[in-house]
Amino acid sequence: MRSRPTPQITAQRPILGLMLGFIGVVIFGATLPATRIALTGFDPAFITFCRAFLAGLASATVLVAAGKRFPRADLGSFAVIGATLVFGFPGFANVAMQTVPASHGGIVLGVLPLLTAVFAALIGGEKPGVAFWAWGVLGAALVLGFTLRGGGFAPGIGHVWLLCAAVVSAFGYVVSGKLARRMPGWEVIAWALVLCLPLTGLGAAWAWEGGGVHAPPVKAYWALGYLAFGSMFAGFFFWNAGLAMGGIARVGQVQLLQTFVTLGISALILGEVVTPVMLGFAVAVAAVVWLGRRARIA
């Protein structure tokens, strides 16, 4: 008997999935610049807890209005999403942004797509082909090359925290993407945020009492609001839906384009300098996404 050829992923709507994923990437791209602005008035602990608490309140309101019932069978998955995306990524990123420019951080996080593909293969049931891995490794190599040798800065502890943020974020993306295959993407992040409300509420109150607020300027409040309702809430609506429609590993590669968004916003609102070296690396990783978009994934 002849063996069957390895099937390719048949995403529901691959092009729409890529488009939705890109909208999520645009929203996520402002996260690091907004974090640096929020740090002008709040400490990292308060930002981590408060952004999730505010997003949790918004999620609860939407879930009640939609008449949704909590899917108890997925409690473990929601707990993992809470630990990685609600607490893990924001916590590591907030600490990192105290010492790392947002523009540099945006390029360091370019390793996220490769990590997402790794976890998609390990726990997401996807099997990227050789060509996909080749493009993914090339993209990650470009990012790490910039981090270690380019951009006019020396690697420090802030970059270690960013890499930790990338690892927990990639794991959380895959768990979210798996759930989003059988429930709306917005519902996935909403239930995770609601599940974390008791901890985020207590944490925000504790950080406030402990001196987590330092006469913040108006722009710090705006930045905190964006982190809560944009990065933590709306961005995941598009991102999770995109992962479910286009495939976790493939749509995850779109996040390499987040580098462009972060560099542009950092230059626009923070006055950070975008050097030719940074732009060159950003163009290179975007080319990797373009060339690898049709690689085989079984």
Side-chain angles (χ1 to χ4, degrees):
M1 295 178 63
R2 290 182 298 176
S3 61
R4 293 183 179 180
T6 302
Q8 286 188 288
I9 282 291
T10 55
Q12 297 174 352
R13 284 166 283 179
I15 300 301
L16 180 58
L18 291 171
M19 292 175 61
L20 291 173
F22 180 71
I23 295 174
V25 161
V26 171
I27 297 173
F28 293 151
T31 298
L32 297 185
T35 299
R36 286 192 67 86
I37 294 174
L39 285 168
T40 62
F42 309 103
D43 69 17
F46 181 78
I47 295 173
T48 299
F49 287 114
C50 189
R51 65 183 279 187
F53 179 67
L54 294 175
L57 292 179
S59 297
T61 302
V62 174
L63 289 169
V64 171
K68 297 292 183 177
R69 299 184 63 180
F70 181 69
R72 296 182 181 180
D74 298 314
L75 177 61
S77 295
F78 289 128
V80 171
I81 295 170
T84 55
L85 300 180
V86 177
F87 293 111
F89 178 83
F92 287 129
N94 291 341
V95 173
M97 284 298 96
Q98 294 181 100
T99 57
V100 177
S103 56
H104 292 174
I107 295 181
V108 174
L109 289 183
V111 75
L112 255 174
L114 180 60
L115 293 173
T116 301
V118 170
F119 286 122
L122 292 175
I123 66 172
E126 298 185 5
K127 298 179 181 179
V130 175
F132 181 92
W133 286 118
W135 290 119
V137 170
L138 178 58
L142 287 169
V143 170
L144 293 177
F146 176 86
T147 305
L148 297 175
R149 301 179 184 180
F153 70 97
I157 188 64
H159 298 93
V160 175
W161 294 125
L162 279 173
L163 289 176
C164 290
V167 171
V168 299
S169 184
F171 188 82
Y173 286 162
V174 174
V175 176
S176 296
K178 289 180 64 178
L179 283 181
R181 292 169 180 166
R182 49 190 175 83
M183 69 175 66
W186 69 266
E187 195 174 336
V188 174
I189 189 61
W191 282 122
L193 287 165
V194 169
L195 186 65
C196 294
L197 266 176
L199 291 177
T200 55
L202 291 173
W206 165 78
W208 178 285
E209 293 296 329
V213 180
H214 313 286
V218 174
K219 63 179 182 180
Y221 283 106
W222 281 106
L224 182 62
Y226 182 86
L227 292 173
F229 303 115
S231 300
M232 183 66 72
F233 188 63
F236 282 102
F237 282 30
F238 298 99
W239 182 246
N240 287 344
L243 292 177
M245 291 182 184
I248 297 172
R250 178 171 287 115
V251 174
Q253 294 299 301
V254 177
Q255 198 159 37
L256 283 171
L257 298 177
Q258 186 171 315
T259 299
F260 280 116
V261 180
T262 300
L263 288 177
I265 294 177
S266 298
L268 183 65
I269 67 176
L270 297 179
E272 296 184 3
V273 178
V274 178
T275 67
V277 173
M278 295 180 190
L279 190 58
F281 273 89
V283 170
V285 295
V288 168
V289 174
W290 177 257
L291 294 172
R293 76 192 190 285
R294 295 178 65 84
R296 191 179 186 87
I297 300 178

